[in-house]
PDB file of all heavy atoms in Angstrom:
ATOM      1  N   GLY A   1      14.137  -0.329-111.844  1.00 88.00           N
ATOM      2  CA  GLY A   1      14.513  -0.530-113.238  1.00 88.00           C
ATOM      3  C   GLY A   1      13.716  -1.633-113.893  1.00 88.00           C
ATOM      4  O   GLY A   1      12.675  -2.089-113.388  1.00 88.00           O
ATOM      5  N   SER A   2      14.218  -2.081-115.041  1.00 89.00           N
ATOM      6  CA  SER A   2      13.556  -3.119-115.830  1.00 89.00           C
ATOM      7  C   SER A   2      14.198  -4.469-115.523  1.00 89.00           C
ATOM      8  O   SER A   2      15.431  -4.609-115.588  1.00 89.00           O
ATOM      9  CB  SER A   2      13.673  -2.812-117.328  1.00 89.00           C
ATOM     10  OG  SER A   2      13.022  -1.587-117.631  1.00 89.00           O
ATOM     11  N   PHE A   3      13.355  -5.436-115.222  1.00 92.00           N
ATOM     12  CA  PHE A   3      13.847  -6.761-114.854  1.00 92.00           C
ATOM     13  C   PHE A   3      13.013  -7.845-115.529  1.00 92.00           C
ATOM     14  O   PHE A   3      11.870  -7.598-115.935  1.00 92.00           O
ATOM     15  CB  PHE A   3      13.746  -6.987-113.336  1.00 92.00           C
ATOM     16  CG  PHE A   3      14.489  -6.002-112.498  1.00 92.00           C
ATOM     17  CD1 PHE A   3      13.850  -4.862-112.014  1.00 92.00           C
ATOM     18  CD2 PHE A   3      15.817  -6.201-112.177  1.00 92.00           C
ATOM     19  CE1 PHE A   3      14.522  -3.954-111.224  1.00 92.00           C
ATOM     20  CE2 PHE A   3      16.498  -5.292-111.386  1.00 92.00           C
ATOM     21  CZ  PHE A   3      15.852  -4.172-110.910  1.00 92.00           C
ATOM     22  N   LYS A   4      13.589  -9.005-115.594  1.00 93.00           N
ATOM     23  CA  LYS A   4      12.796 -10.214-115.686  1.00 93.00           C
ATOM     24  C   LYS A   4      12.506 -10.649-114.256  1.00 93.00           C
ATOM     25  O   LYS A   4      13.272 -10.340-113.335  1.00 93.00           O
ATOM     26  CB  LYS A   4      13.559 -11.333-116.400  1.00 93.00           C
ATOM     27  CG  LYS A   4      13.456 -11.343-117.900  1.00 93.00           C
ATOM     28  CD  LYS A   4      14.082 -12.614-118.444  1.00 93.00           C
ATOM     29  CE  LYS A   4      14.032 -12.654-119.961  1.00 93.00           C
ATOM     30  NZ  LYS A   4      14.623 -13.925-120.479  1.00 93.00           N
ATOM     31  N   GLY A   5      11.423 -11.375-114.073  1.00 93.00           N
ATOM     32  CA  GLY A   5      11.086 -11.809-112.730  1.00 93.00           C
ATOM     33  C   GLY A   5      10.483 -13.190-112.710  1.00 93.00           C
ATOM     34  O   GLY A   5       9.957 -13.681-113.716  1.00 93.00           O
ATOM     35  N   GLN A   6      10.564 -13.823-111.558  1.00 94.00           N
ATOM     36  CA  GLN A   6       9.934 -15.115-111.358  1.00 94.00           C
ATOM     37  C   GLN A   6       9.611 -15.258-109.874  1.00 94.00           C
ATOM     38  O   GLN A   6      10.256 -14.654-109.025  1.00 94.00           O
ATOM     39  CB  GLN A   6      10.840 -16.258-111.828  1.00 94.00           C
ATOM     40  CG  GLN A   6      12.189 -16.341-111.129  1.00 94.00           C
ATOM     41  CD  GLN A   6      13.101 -17.392-111.744  1.00 94.00           C
ATOM     42  OE1 GLN A   6      13.836 -17.098-112.687  1.00 94.00           O
ATOM     43  NE2 GLN A   6      13.050 -18.604-111.202  1.00 94.00           N
ATOM     44  N   GLY A   7       8.591 -16.044-109.595  1.00 93.00           N
ATOM     45  CA  GLY A   7       8.169 -16.230-108.216  1.00 93.00           C
ATOM     46  C   GLY A   7       6.740 -16.728-108.148  1.00 93.00           C
ATOM     47  O   GLY A   7       6.051 -16.854-109.174  1.00 93.00           O
ATOM     48  N   PHE A   8       6.279 -16.967-106.937  1.00 92.00           N
ATOM     49  CA  PHE A   8       4.967 -17.562-106.749  1.00 92.00           C
ATOM     50  C   PHE A   8       3.827 -16.629-107.150  1.00 92.00           C
ATOM     51  O   PHE A   8       2.685 -17.067-107.305  1.00 92.00           O
ATOM     52  CB  PHE A   8       4.792 -17.992-105.294  1.00 92.00           C
ATOM     53  CG  PHE A   8       5.738 -19.089-104.873  1.00 92.00           C
ATOM     54  CD1 PHE A   8       6.011 -19.318-103.535  1.00 92.00           C
ATOM     55  CD2 PHE A   8       6.355 -19.890-105.812  1.00 92.00           C
ATOM     56  CE1 PHE A   8       6.881 -20.327-103.144  1.00 92.00           C
ATOM     57  CE2 PHE A   8       7.226 -20.897-105.450  1.00 92.00           C
ATOM     58  CZ  PHE A   8       7.492 -21.114-104.108  1.00 92.00           C
ATOM     59  N   LEU A   9       4.125 -15.338-107.297  1.00 92.00           N
ATOM     60  CA  LEU A   9       3.090 -14.417-107.773  1.00 92.00           C
ATOM     61  C   LEU A   9       2.575 -14.847-109.139  1.00 92.00           C
ATOM     62  O   LEU A   9       1.406 -14.614-109.478  1.00 92.00           O
ATOM     63  CB  LEU A   9       3.660 -12.998-107.840  1.00 92.00           C
ATOM     64  CG  LEU A   9       2.716 -11.908-108.361  1.00 92.00           C
ATOM     65  CD1 LEU A   9       1.510 -11.755-107.440  1.00 92.00           C
ATOM     66  CD2 LEU A   9       3.448 -10.580-108.503  1.00 92.00           C
ATOM     67  N   TYR A  10       3.415 -15.476-109.934  1.00 93.00           N
ATOM     68  CA  TYR A  10       3.048 -15.898-111.286  1.00 93.00           C
ATOM     69  C   TYR A  10       2.656 -17.369-111.346  1.00 93.00           C
ATOM     70  O   TYR A  10       2.477 -17.917-112.440  1.00 93.00           O
ATOM     71  CB  TYR A  10       4.210 -15.628-112.243  1.00 93.00           C
ATOM     72  CG  TYR A  10       4.630 -14.178-112.235  1.00 93.00           C
ATOM     73  CD1 TYR A  10       5.793 -13.787-111.581  1.00 93.00           C
ATOM     74  CD2 TYR A  10       3.853 -13.203-112.859  1.00 93.00           C
ATOM     75  CE1 TYR A  10       6.175 -12.446-111.558  1.00 93.00           C
ATOM     76  CE2 TYR A  10       4.235 -11.867-112.841  1.00 93.00           C
ATOM     77  CZ  TYR A  10       5.393 -11.500-112.182  1.00 93.00           C
ATOM     78  OH  TYR A  10       5.741 -10.184-112.152  1.00 93.00           O
ATOM     79  N   GLY A  11       2.527 -17.996-110.200  1.00 92.00           N
ATOM     80  CA  GLY A  11       2.107 -19.390-110.173  1.00 92.00           C
ATOM     81  C   GLY A  11       3.175 -20.309-109.613  1.00 92.00           C
ATOM     82  O   GLY A  11       4.374 -19.996-109.640  1.00 92.00           O
ATOM     83  N   GLN A  12       2.720 -21.434-109.086  1.00 93.00           N
ATOM     84  CA  GLN A  12       3.635 -22.444-108.564  1.00 93.00           C
ATOM     85  C   GLN A  12       4.322 -23.181-109.721  1.00 93.00           C
ATOM     86  O   GLN A  12       3.773 -23.248-110.833  1.00 93.00           O
ATOM     87  CB  GLN A  12       2.858 -23.456-107.711  1.00 93.00           C
ATOM     88  CG  GLN A  12       2.227 -22.866-106.460  1.00 93.00           C
ATOM     89  CD  GLN A  12       3.251 -22.579-105.388  1.00 93.00           C
ATOM     90  OE1 GLN A  12       4.317 -23.166-105.363  1.00 93.00           O
ATOM     91  NE2 GLN A  12       2.922 -21.648-104.494  1.00 93.00           N
ATOM     92  N   PRO A  13       5.522 -23.721-109.481  1.00 94.00           N
ATOM     93  CA  PRO A  13       6.157 -24.545-110.521  1.00 94.00           C
ATOM     94  C   PRO A  13       5.242 -25.704-110.926  1.00 94.00           C
ATOM     95  O   PRO A  13       4.568 -26.299-110.076  1.00 94.00           O
ATOM     96  CB  PRO A  13       7.436 -25.051-109.836  1.00 94.00           C
ATOM     97  CG  PRO A  13       7.725 -24.037-108.783  1.00 94.00           C
ATOM     98  CD  PRO A  13       6.391 -23.569-108.297  1.00 94.00           C
ATOM     99  N   SER A  14       5.221 -26.016-112.215  1.00 95.00           N
ATOM    100  CA  SER A  14       4.308 -27.025-112.760  1.00 95.00           C
ATOM    101  C   SER A  14       5.070 -28.100-113.498  1.00 95.00           C
ATOM    102  O   SER A  14       6.200 -27.874-113.966  1.00 95.00           O
ATOM    103  CB  SER A  14       3.293 -26.373-113.711  1.00 95.00           C
ATOM    104  OG  SER A  14       2.603 -25.322-113.059  1.00 95.00           O
ATOM    105  N   ASP A  15       4.446 -29.261-113.639  1.00 94.00           N
ATOM    106  CA  ASP A  15       5.077 -30.348-114.380  1.00 94.00           C
ATOM    107  C   ASP A  15       4.948 -30.099-115.879  1.00 94.00           C
ATOM    108  O   ASP A  15       4.298 -29.150-116.329  1.00 94.00           O
ATOM    109  CB  ASP A  15       4.485 -31.695-113.980  1.00 94.00           C
ATOM    110  CG  ASP A  15       2.992 -31.790-114.248  1.00 94.00           C
ATOM    111  OD1 ASP A  15       2.467 -30.997-115.063  1.00 94.00           O
ATOM    112  OD2 ASP A  15       2.332 -32.667-113.646  1.00 94.00           O
ATOM    113  N   ALA A  16       5.562 -30.981-116.660  1.00 95.00           N
ATOM    114  CA  ALA A  16       5.645 -30.764-118.108  1.00 95.00           C
ATOM    115  C   ALA A  16       4.273 -30.750-118.757  1.00 95.00           C
ATOM    116  O   ALA A  16       3.993 -29.935-119.650  1.00 95.00           O
ATOM    117  CB  ALA A  16       6.528 -31.847-118.731  1.00 95.00           C
ATOM    118  N   LEU A  17       3.376 -31.632-118.331  1.00 95.00           N
ATOM    119  CA  LEU A  17       2.057 -31.712-118.946  1.00 95.00           C
ATOM    120  C   LEU A  17       1.247 -30.439-118.679  1.00 95.00           C
ATOM    121  O   LEU A  17       0.597 -29.905-119.600  1.00 95.00           O
ATOM    122  CB  LEU A  17       1.303 -32.938-118.409  1.00 95.00           C
ATOM    123  CG  LEU A  17      -0.094 -33.171-118.969  1.00 95.00           C
ATOM    124  CD1 LEU A  17      -0.040 -33.325-120.489  1.00 95.00           C
ATOM    125  CD2 LEU A  17      -0.749 -34.390-118.322  1.00 95.00           C
ATOM    126  N   SER A  18       1.301 -29.929-117.452  1.00 95.00           N
ATOM    127  CA  SER A  18       0.564 -28.710-117.120  1.00 95.00           C
ATOM    128  C   SER A  18       1.097 -27.520-117.913  1.00 95.00           C
ATOM    129  O   SER A  18       0.328 -26.680-118.403  1.00 95.00           O
ATOM    130  CB  SER A  18       0.664 -28.427-115.623  1.00 95.00           C
ATOM    131  OG  SER A  18       0.103 -29.485-114.860  1.00 95.00           O
ATOM    132  N   VAL A  19       2.417 -27.447-118.059  1.00 96.00           N
ATOM    133  CA  VAL A  19       3.016 -26.364-118.841  1.00 96.00           C
ATOM    134  C   VAL A  19       2.597 -26.469-120.297  1.00 96.00           C
ATOM    135  O   VAL A  19       2.266 -25.452-120.945  1.00 96.00           O
ATOM    136  CB  VAL A  19       4.550 -26.394-118.708  1.00 96.00           C
ATOM    137  CG1 VAL A  19       5.203 -25.451-119.717  1.00 96.00           C
ATOM    138  CG2 VAL A  19       4.972 -26.006-117.293  1.00 96.00           C
ATOM    139  N   ARG A  20       2.575 -27.665-120.793  1.00 95.00           N
ATOM    140  CA  ARG A  20       2.199 -27.864-122.204  1.00 95.00           C
ATOM    141  C   ARG A  20       0.755 -27.426-122.442  1.00 95.00           C
ATOM    142  O   ARG A  20       0.444 -26.772-123.448  1.00 95.00           O
ATOM    143  CB  ARG A  20       2.391 -29.321-122.587  1.00 95.00           C
ATOM    144  CG  ARG A  20       2.162 -29.610-124.074  1.00 95.00           C
ATOM    145  CD  ARG A  20       2.433 -31.067-124.395  1.00 95.00           C
ATOM    146  NE  ARG A  20       2.229 -31.314-125.814  1.00 95.00           N
ATOM    147  CZ  ARG A  20       3.168 -31.143-126.741  1.00 95.00           C
ATOM    148  NH1 ARG A  20       4.364 -30.733-126.384  1.00 95.00           N
ATOM    149  NH2 ARG A  20       2.907 -31.396-128.008  1.00 95.00           N
ATOM    150  N   GLU A  21      -0.139 -27.767-121.523  1.00 94.00           N
ATOM    151  CA  GLU A  21      -1.545 -27.377-121.663  1.00 94.00           C
ATOM    152  C   GLU A  21      -1.682 -25.857-121.601  1.00 94.00           C
ATOM    153  O   GLU A  21      -2.472 -25.258-122.356  1.00 94.00           O
ATOM    154  CB  GLU A  21      -2.374 -28.041-120.571  1.00 94.00           C
ATOM    155  CG  GLU A  21      -2.484 -29.561-120.729  1.00 94.00           C
ATOM    156  CD  GLU A  21      -3.196 -30.211-119.556  1.00 94.00           C
ATOM    157  OE1 GLU A  21      -3.427 -29.521-118.542  1.00 94.00           O
ATOM    158  OE2 GLU A  21      -3.503 -31.416-119.642  1.00 94.00           O
ATOM    159  N   MET A  22      -0.928 -25.241-120.690  1.00 95.00           N
ATOM    160  CA  MET A  22      -0.983 -23.782-120.568  1.00 95.00           C
ATOM    161  C   MET A  22      -0.483 -23.108-121.836  1.00 95.00           C
ATOM    162  O   MET A  22      -1.096 -22.148-122.339  1.00 95.00           O
ATOM    163  CB  MET A  22      -0.164 -23.335-119.363  1.00 95.00           C
ATOM    164  CG  MET A  22      -0.202 -21.839-119.081  1.00 95.00           C
ATOM    165  SD  MET A  22       1.146 -20.938-119.901  1.00 95.00           S
ATOM    166  CE  MET A  22       2.562 -21.607-119.032  1.00 95.00           C
ATOM    167  N   LEU A  23       0.622 -23.598-122.382  1.00 95.00           N
ATOM    168  CA  LEU A  23       1.177 -23.003-123.604  1.00 95.00           C
ATOM    169  C   LEU A  23       0.268 -23.232-124.795  1.00 95.00           C
ATOM    170  O   LEU A  23       0.150 -22.357-125.676  1.00 95.00           O
ATOM    171  CB  LEU A  23       2.564 -23.592-123.869  1.00 95.00           C
ATOM    172  CG  LEU A  23       3.666 -23.227-122.868  1.00 95.00           C
ATOM    173  CD1 LEU A  23       4.968 -23.924-123.232  1.00 95.00           C
ATOM    174  CD2 LEU A  23       3.869 -21.714-122.808  1.00 95.00           C
ATOM    175  N   ALA A  24      -0.377 -24.377-124.844  1.00 93.00           N
ATOM    176  CA  ALA A  24      -1.305 -24.649-125.945  1.00 93.00           C
ATOM    177  C   ALA A  24      -2.463 -23.657-125.916  1.00 93.00           C
ATOM    178  O   ALA A  24      -2.930 -23.192-126.981  1.00 93.00           O
ATOM    179  CB  ALA A  24      -1.823 -26.078-125.848  1.00 93.00           C
ATOM    180  N   GLY A  25      -2.928 -23.309-124.716  1.00 93.00           N
ATOM    181  CA  GLY A  25      -4.017 -22.339-124.610  1.00 93.00           C
ATOM    182  C   GLY A  25      -3.598 -20.953-125.035  1.00 93.00           C
ATOM    183  O   GLY A  25      -4.451 -20.116-125.364  1.00 93.00           O
ATOM    184  N   GLN A  26      -2.286 -20.656-125.025  1.00 93.00           N
ATOM    185  CA  GLN A  26      -1.788 -19.334-125.433  1.00 93.00           C
ATOM    186  C   GLN A  26      -1.142 -19.367-126.815  1.00 93.00           C
ATOM    187  O   GLN A  26      -0.486 -18.414-127.219  1.00 93.00           O
ATOM    188  CB  GLN A  26      -0.771 -18.831-124.401  1.00 93.00           C
ATOM    189  CG  GLN A  26      -1.338 -18.682-123.008  1.00 93.00           C
ATOM    190  CD  GLN A  26      -0.303 -18.165-122.011  1.00 93.00           C
ATOM    191  OE1 GLN A  26       0.729 -17.605-122.389  1.00 93.00           O
ATOM    192  NE2 GLN A  26      -0.565 -18.346-120.728  1.00 93.00           N
ATOM    193  N   ASN A  27      -1.328 -20.466-127.536  1.00 93.00           N
ATOM    194  CA  ASN A  27      -0.746 -20.634-128.877  1.00 93.00           C
ATOM    195  C   ASN A  27       0.773 -20.459-128.855  1.00 93.00           C
ATOM    196  O   ASN A  27       1.369 -19.814-129.730  1.00 93.00           O
ATOM    197  CB  ASN A  27      -1.359 -19.631-129.861  1.00 93.00           C
ATOM    198  CG  ASN A  27      -2.830 -19.895-130.115  1.00 93.00           C
ATOM    199  OD1 ASN A  27      -3.253 -21.059-130.205  1.00 93.00           O
ATOM    200  ND2 ASN A  27      -3.616 -18.835-130.223  1.00 93.00           N
ATOM    201  N   LEU A  28       1.404 -21.029-127.811  1.00 93.00           N
ATOM    202  CA  LEU A  28       2.851 -20.941-127.687  1.00 93.00           C
ATOM    203  C   LEU A  28       3.517 -22.300-127.826  1.00 93.00           C
ATOM    204  O   LEU A  28       4.594 -22.540-127.303  1.00 93.00           O
ATOM    205  CB  LEU A  28       3.229 -20.319-126.331  1.00 93.00           C
ATOM    206  CG  LEU A  28       2.902 -18.836-126.177  1.00 93.00           C
ATOM    207  CD1 LEU A  28       3.215 -18.362-124.760  1.00 93.00           C
ATOM    208  CD2 LEU A  28       3.672 -18.005-127.199  1.00 93.00           C
ATOM    209  N   LEU A  29       2.870 -23.209-128.532  1.00 90.00           N
ATOM    210  CA  LEU A  29       3.481 -24.489-128.881  1.00 90.00           C
ATOM    211  C   LEU A  29       3.784 -24.499-130.363  1.00 90.00           C
ATOM    212  O   LEU A  29       3.088 -23.866-131.168  1.00 90.00           O
ATOM    213  CB  LEU A  29       2.547 -25.654-128.544  1.00 90.00           C
ATOM    214  CG  LEU A  29       2.398 -26.030-127.077  1.00 90.00           C
ATOM    215  CD1 LEU A  29       1.445 -27.202-126.944  1.00 90.00           C
ATOM    216  CD2 LEU A  29       3.744 -26.378-126.463  1.00 90.00           C
ATOM    217  N   CYS A  30       4.809 -25.215-130.743  1.00 82.00           N
ATOM    218  CA  CYS A  30       5.175 -25.296-132.150  1.00 82.00           C
ATOM    219  C   CYS A  30       5.457 -26.743-132.490  1.00 82.00           C
ATOM    220  O   CYS A  30       5.571 -27.609-131.621  1.00 82.00           O
ATOM    221  CB  CYS A  30       6.390 -24.429-132.465  1.00 82.00           C
ATOM    222  SG  CYS A  30       7.891 -24.973-131.623  1.00 82.00           S
ATOM    223  N   VAL A  31       5.589 -27.025-133.789  1.00 59.00           N
ATOM    224  CA  VAL A  31       5.923 -28.370-134.262  1.00 59.00           C
ATOM    225  C   VAL A  31       7.423 -28.420-134.476  1.00 59.00           C
ATOM    226  O   VAL A  31       7.949 -27.802-135.403  1.00 59.00           O
ATOM    227  CB  VAL A  31       5.185 -28.702-135.562  1.00 59.00           C
ATOM    228  CG1 VAL A  31       5.567 -30.103-136.028  1.00 59.00           C
ATOM    229  CG2 VAL A  31       3.683 -28.601-135.368  1.00 59.00           C
ATOM    230  N   PRO A  32       8.156 -29.114-133.610  1.00 50.00           N
ATOM    231  CA  PRO A  32       9.620 -29.117-133.716  1.00 50.00           C
ATOM    232  C   PRO A  32      10.117 -30.162-134.683  1.00 50.00           C
ATOM    233  O   PRO A  32       9.376 -31.021-135.142  1.00 50.00           O
ATOM    234  CB  PRO A  32      10.039 -29.500-132.291  1.00 50.00           C
ATOM    235  CG  PRO A  32       8.962 -30.467-131.858  1.00 50.00           C
ATOM    236  CD  PRO A  32       7.681 -29.958-132.491  1.00 50.00           C
ATOM    237  N   ASN A  33      11.378 -30.036-135.023  1.00 49.00           N
ATOM    238  CA  ASN A  33      12.054 -31.113-135.731  1.00 49.00           C
ATOM    239  C   ASN A  33      12.277 -32.268-134.772  1.00 49.00           C
ATOM    240  O   ASN A  33      12.419 -32.064-133.567  1.00 49.00           O
ATOM    241  CB  ASN A  33      13.396 -30.633-136.279  1.00 49.00           C
ATOM    242  CG  ASN A  33      13.205 -29.607-137.375  1.00 49.00           C
ATOM    243  OD1 ASN A  33      12.259 -29.678-138.154  1.00 49.00           O
ATOM    244  ND2 ASN A  33      14.108 -28.624-137.409  1.00 49.00           N
ATOM    245  N   PRO A  34      12.318 -33.491-135.265  1.00 49.00           N
ATOM    246  CA  PRO A  34      12.528 -34.628-134.375  1.00 49.00           C
ATOM    247  C   PRO A  34      13.932 -34.615-133.809  1.00 49.00           C
ATOM    248  O   PRO A  34      14.831 -33.992-134.374  1.00 49.00           O
ATOM    249  CB  PRO A  34      12.298 -35.834-135.289  1.00 49.00           C
ATOM    250  CG  PRO A  34      12.670 -35.336-136.650  1.00 49.00           C
ATOM    251  CD  PRO A  34      12.232 -33.887-136.674  1.00 49.00           C
ATOM    252  N   PRO A  35      14.126 -35.306-132.682  1.00 50.00           N
ATOM    253  CA  PRO A  35      15.471 -35.387-132.105  1.00 50.00           C
ATOM    254  C   PRO A  35      16.431 -36.119-133.013  1.00 50.00           C
ATOM    255  O   PRO A  35      16.031 -36.957-133.817  1.00 50.00           O
ATOM    256  CB  PRO A  35      15.241 -36.163-130.791  1.00 50.00           C
ATOM    257  CG  PRO A  35      13.980 -36.921-131.018  1.00 50.00           C
ATOM    258  CD  PRO A  35      13.137 -36.079-131.902  1.00 50.00           C
ATOM    259  N   VAL A  36      17.692 -35.759-132.917  1.00 50.00           N
ATOM    260  CA  VAL A  36      18.722 -36.319-133.773  1.00 50.00           C
ATOM    261  C   VAL A  36      19.631 -37.226-132.955  1.00 50.00           C
ATOM    262  O   VAL A  36      20.082 -36.840-131.872  1.00 50.00           O
ATOM    263  CB  VAL A  36      19.559 -35.198-134.441  1.00 50.00           C
ATOM    264  CG1 VAL A  36      20.702 -35.793-135.246  1.00 50.00           C
ATOM    265  CG2 VAL A  36      18.660 -34.360-135.318  1.00 50.00           C
ATOM    266  N   ASP A  37      19.882 -38.432-133.461  1.00 54.00           N
ATOM    267  CA  ASP A  37      20.858 -39.318-132.854  1.00 54.00           C
ATOM    268  C   ASP A  37      22.214 -38.989-133.455  1.00 54.00           C
ATOM    269  O   ASP A  37      22.415 -39.181-134.650  1.00 54.00           O
ATOM    270  CB  ASP A  37      20.488 -40.781-133.133  1.00 54.00           C
ATOM    271  CG  ASP A  37      21.452 -41.758-132.441  1.00 54.00           C
ATOM    272  OD1 ASP A  37      22.452 -41.282-131.867  1.00 54.00           O
ATOM    273  OD2 ASP A  37      21.202 -42.976-132.490  1.00 54.00           O
ATOM    274  N   PRO A  38      23.156 -38.469-132.653  1.00 51.00           N
ATOM    275  CA  PRO A  38      24.447 -38.034-133.226  1.00 51.00           C
ATOM    276  C   PRO A  38      25.252 -39.170-133.823  1.00 51.00           C
ATOM    277  O   PRO A  38      26.141 -38.944-134.616  1.00 51.00           O
ATOM    278  CB  PRO A  38      25.163 -37.414-132.014  1.00 51.00           C
ATOM    279  CG  PRO A  38      24.522 -38.031-130.819  1.00 51.00           C
ATOM    280  CD  PRO A  38      23.089 -38.284-131.198  1.00 51.00           C
ATOM    281  N   GLU A  39      24.945 -40.411-133.454  1.00 54.00           N
ATOM    282  CA  GLU A  39      25.698 -41.548-133.972  1.00 54.00           C
ATOM    283  C   GLU A  39      25.032 -42.190-135.182  1.00 54.00           C
ATOM    284  O   GLU A  39      25.586 -43.097-135.795  1.00 54.00           O
ATOM    285  CB  GLU A  39      25.872 -42.591-132.857  1.00 54.00           C
ATOM    286  CG  GLU A  39      26.639 -42.052-131.657  1.00 54.00           C
ATOM    287  CD  GLU A  39      26.812 -43.117-130.583  1.00 54.00           C
ATOM    288  OE1 GLU A  39      26.285 -44.239-130.772  1.00 54.00           O
ATOM    289  OE2 GLU A  39      27.471 -42.818-129.563  1.00 54.00           O
ATOM    290  N   ALA A  40      23.817 -41.752-135.501  1.00 48.00           N
ATOM    291  CA  ALA A  40      23.095 -42.349-136.624  1.00 48.00           C
ATOM    292  C   ALA A  40      23.480 -41.640-137.920  1.00 48.00           C
ATOM    293  O   ALA A  40      23.842 -40.465-137.920  1.00 48.00           O
ATOM    294  CB  ALA A  40      21.595 -42.237-136.399  1.00 48.00           C
ATOM    295  N   PRO A  41      23.413 -42.347-139.060  1.00 47.00           N
ATOM    296  CA  PRO A  41      23.705 -41.696-140.352  1.00 47.00           C
ATOM    297  C   PRO A  41      22.637 -40.664-140.683  1.00 47.00           C
ATOM    298  O   PRO A  41      21.500 -40.729-140.206  1.00 47.00           O
ATOM    299  CB  PRO A  41      23.696 -42.870-141.338  1.00 47.00           C
ATOM    300  CG  PRO A  41      22.836 -43.907-140.681  1.00 47.00           C
ATOM    301  CD  PRO A  41      23.075 -43.765-139.213  1.00 47.00           C
ATOM    302  N   ALA A  42      23.018 -39.692-141.487  1.00 44.00           N
ATOM    303  CA  ALA A  42      22.092 -38.625-141.851  1.00 44.00           C
ATOM    304  C   ALA A  42      20.946 -39.183-142.673  1.00 44.00           C
ATOM    305  O   ALA A  42      21.141 -39.956-143.618  1.00 44.00           O
ATOM    306  CB  ALA A  42      22.835 -37.541-142.651  1.00 44.00           C
ATOM    307  N   LEU A  43      19.716 -38.826-142.305  1.00 38.00           N
ATOM    308  CA  LEU A  43      18.517 -39.280-143.005  1.00 38.00           C
ATOM    309  C   LEU A  43      17.628 -38.084-143.293  1.00 38.00           C
ATOM    310  O   LEU A  43      17.702 -37.062-142.599  1.00 38.00           O
ATOM    311  CB  LEU A  43      17.743 -40.299-142.145  1.00 38.00           C
ATOM    312  CG  LEU A  43      18.439 -41.641-141.868  1.00 38.00           C
ATOM    313  CD1 LEU A  43      17.609 -42.450-140.888  1.00 38.00           C
ATOM    314  CD2 LEU A  43      18.643 -42.411-143.158  1.00 38.00           C
ATOM    315  N   PRO A  44      16.746 -38.190-144.271  1.00 40.00           N
ATOM    316  CA  PRO A  44      15.785 -37.106-144.503  1.00 40.00           C
ATOM    317  C   PRO A  44      14.930 -36.894-143.267  1.00 40.00           C
ATOM    318  O   PRO A  44      14.581 -37.851-142.571  1.00 40.00           O
ATOM    319  CB  PRO A  44      14.952 -37.615-145.696  1.00 40.00           C
ATOM    320  CG  PRO A  44      15.806 -38.649-146.357  1.00 40.00           C
ATOM    321  CD  PRO A  44      16.613 -39.274-145.264  1.00 40.00           C
ATOM    322  N   THR A  45      14.591 -35.652-142.984  1.00 40.00           N
ATOM    323  CA  THR A  45      13.798 -35.334-141.796  1.00 40.00           C
ATOM    324  C   THR A  45      12.391 -35.884-141.966  1.00 40.00           C
ATOM    325  O   THR A  45      11.683 -35.523-142.910  1.00 40.00           O
ATOM    326  CB  THR A  45      13.732 -33.817-141.589  1.00 40.00           C
ATOM    327  OG1 THR A  45      15.056 -33.320-141.458  1.00 40.00           O
ATOM    328  CG2 THR A  45      12.930 -33.489-140.324  1.00 40.00           C
ATOM    329  N   PRO A  46      11.935 -36.775-141.054  1.00 37.00           N
ATOM    330  CA  PRO A  46      10.577 -37.325-141.172  1.00 37.00           C
ATOM    331  C   PRO A  46       9.548 -36.291-140.760  1.00 37.00           C
ATOM    332  O   PRO A  46       9.836 -35.327-140.071  1.00 37.00           O
ATOM    333  CB  PRO A  46      10.588 -38.495-140.191  1.00 37.00           C
ATOM    334  CG  PRO A  46      11.609 -38.110-139.174  1.00 37.00           C
ATOM    335  CD  PRO A  46      12.656 -37.340-139.916  1.00 37.00           C
TER     336      PRO A  46
END
């Protein structure tokens, strides 16, 4: 049937920097909104 899959066939687990470089090469990075401090007052998004 149809599955999602994961395993060493698709590569060894990588750290955050290696994943980021790989995604950048595939145009799979985006510009996110900044993190929100739940205790801070609401401010315009920088």
Side-chain angles (χ1 to χ4, degrees):
S2 298
F3 302 93
K4 274 188 181 181
Q6 60 186 88
F8 295 160
L9 178 63
Y10 303 105
Q12 296 286 337
S14 305
D15 60 20
L17 181 59
S18 299
V19 169
R20 186 177 181 87
E21 292 174 350
M22 183 268 294
L23 292 178
Q26 300 181 18
N27 294 321
L28 290 175
L29 285 180
C30 64
V31 180
N33 293 325
V36 176
D37 183 354
E39 299 181 357
L43 294 174
T45 302

